[in-house]
Each structure stands twice: as C-alpha cells, then as structure tokens.
Amino acid sequence: MAATSKAEAVRSAGGLMFDRVTAGWDVVVLTADGGDPRSLRILGARSLDLDIALACRFNGIRPQVIAVDAGLCDADPRVRGRLLKALEEGGCEVRICGGHRTAPAVSGTLRHRLSAAARAFKAQALAAVATSETGGIEEVFQKGDLFHHSKSA
C-alpha cells in the first residue's frame, strides 16, 4: 500500500491489511511521513519510506495487490506513473482508496468486509495514530482499472 501517511493507510485499508497478514501475506506500506510505525506493526504490516522505495529499481516478486491512496495518486506523479505501469502490465489487482474517488458504477467498487479480529486490531491502530475514528465493518475501494481509464481519457 502507498499512502500519504500511516494514519491514512490505517483509516482506509487497515482492516484489509490485517486480514491479509493473518492469511499469510507480506504487507508493506509506503509513506513519506516518517514517524512511529507502531500503528502499522499493530496490523502486522511493515513500513517503508516512500521516497526510498520509489528510487529503487524493482527486481523481485511482483505484488498480487496494490492499494494506493487517491490523494497520493493525484499529488505524486511518480506514484501515478508506477500505478499506471502496473495496470498496463497486468497481473495484479489494483485498489484505490481514500479521497473522493467513488466509482459511479457499483461494478467499479470493491468492498472488503473486515473480520472481527481486523475490526479490533484496526481500532487499536487508529488509537495509535491518535484519531477518534473507530473504523467500520467494511472498507470500500475503487477498482484500479477505472482509475487507469480516467487518467488515459
């Protein structure tokens, strides 16, 4: 996942991250905000610096899912370029979260229903980033292919 901040990553996809980690996935969150990675560790995710990750050449296992904060896509051309390249190459699921990117068509929306454990751990992670939010029972994402079509149109 790439997000503007650790807090935004937890808010928009904390439950999905936790559920994927408990299913055996390796979850990495890229942010440029530095600071305490405790909220992500609560969810079982690793934190890496966005700028360092974007400066590295990619030579390795390709991710199965990429989740990107909509605000970061809009603000950082490097992130947008990498996302569009991943969409063109195919082979991975892309989810856009946060911001005001709500797909008009139901078919463009992906919903992740959080497990009971994910809800509990997300609540703790939200507390660690000092927000009064408690989370919900599902997280909503936009399919990446809709983002791809809107940027190439």
Side-chain angles (χ1 to χ4, degrees):
M1 163 144 211
T4 53
S5 68
K6 290 172 185 64
E8 183 58 33
V10 171
R11 266 192 295 279
S12 59
L16 175 67
M17 287 188 279
F18 178 84
D19 283 337
R20 295 290 167 99
V21 166
T22 58
W25 292 41
D26 183 24
V27 176
V28 178
V29 179
L30 308 174
T31 64
D33 67 344
D36 187 0
R38 185 171 47 117
S39 61
L40 298 176
R41 284 197 314 257
I42 289 169
L43 300 171
R46 291 185 298 132
S47 176
L48 293 176
D49 181 84
L50 176 68
D51 291 324
I52 292 172
L54 289 174
C56 293
R57 268 193 81 154
F58 181 76
N59 292 322
I61 299 171
R62 299 216 180 262
Q64 291 179 323
V65 177
I66 298 173
V68 181
D69 174 53
L72 187 60
C73 283
D74 292 337
D76 192 322
R78 301 169 305 163
V79 172
R80 188 171 42 257
R82 292 265 180 115
L83 178 63
L84 290 171
K85 184 175 180 183
L87 286 164
E88 288 168 5
E89 291 175 352
C92 75
E93 178 183 318
V94 175
R95 295 178 178 216
I96 309 297
C97 54
H100 300 301
R101 287 190 187 280
T102 53
V106 175
S107 64
T109 301
L110 299 168
R111 297 182 181 280
H112 175 75
R113 186 168 180 84
L114 281 61
S115 67
R119 290 192 303 271
F121 277 81
K122 182 176 179 177
Q124 292 302 309
L126 286 167
V129 294
T131 182
S132 60
E133 288 184 53
T134 57
I137 61 169
E138 70 176 18
E139 293 165 341
V140 180
F141 304 89
Q142 177 184 332
K143 288 183 179 180
D145 57 348
L146 293 177
F147 174 81
H148 182 256
H149 295 307
S150 70
K151 289 299 177 186
S152 48

